[in-house]
Amino acid sequence: MGSTIVGQAVDTTIVVCFIFYDQPVSLIWQIIYSGYLFKVVYEVLATPLTYLVVNALKRAEGIDYFDRSTNFNPFHLRR
C-alpha cells in the first residue's frame, strides 16, 4: 500500500503538471489533490476485492508461483 501511495502522488503530480501547465498554480494544486485523493481511496477500497479475486483464481487453477530464489535487486553484481 505504501508504494501505491507514493506512486500515485508522483504520477498524479507529473500528469497534471503536463496537462494543465498553462493554468493557475492554485487550480493545478486542487486538481493534483483531488485526483490523488480519489486514486488512493479507490485503491484502498479495491484492494480487498482484488485479493479475493486473485486468491479465488489461484485456487481454481491450482497454480501459485513464488520467486523465492530470484534476486530482484537492480544493484546486484554477479561475480
Side-chain angles (χ1 to χ4, degrees):
M1 193 61 61
S3 63
T4 297
I5 291 171
V6 173
Q8 291 297 352
V10 172
D11 176 68
T12 303
T13 302
I14 291 171
V15 169
V16 169
C17 286
F18 272 110
I19 293 174
F20 298 101
Y21 69 93
D22 59 346
Q23 298 299 317
V25 175
S26 61
L27 176 63
I28 291 174
W29 282 115
Q30 288 176 348
I31 296 170
I32 290 171
Y33 177 74
S34 61
Y36 171 76
L37 190 63
F38 174 79
K39 291 177 181 182
V40 170
V41 168
Y42 174 80
E43 285 295 329
V44 168
L45 295 175
T47 297
L49 178 62
T50 302
Y51 277 105
L52 285 172
V53 170
V54 168
N55 288 330
L57 289 171
K58 285 180 178 181
R59 278 193 302 277
E61 295 174 352
I63 300 172
D64 194 4
Y65 292 105
F66 293 96
D67 291 321
R68 294 183 185 195
S69 61
T70 304
N71 185 355
F72 292 104
N73 183 352
F75 304 109
H76 178 73
L77 300 175
R78 292 186 181 178
R79 294 182 184 197

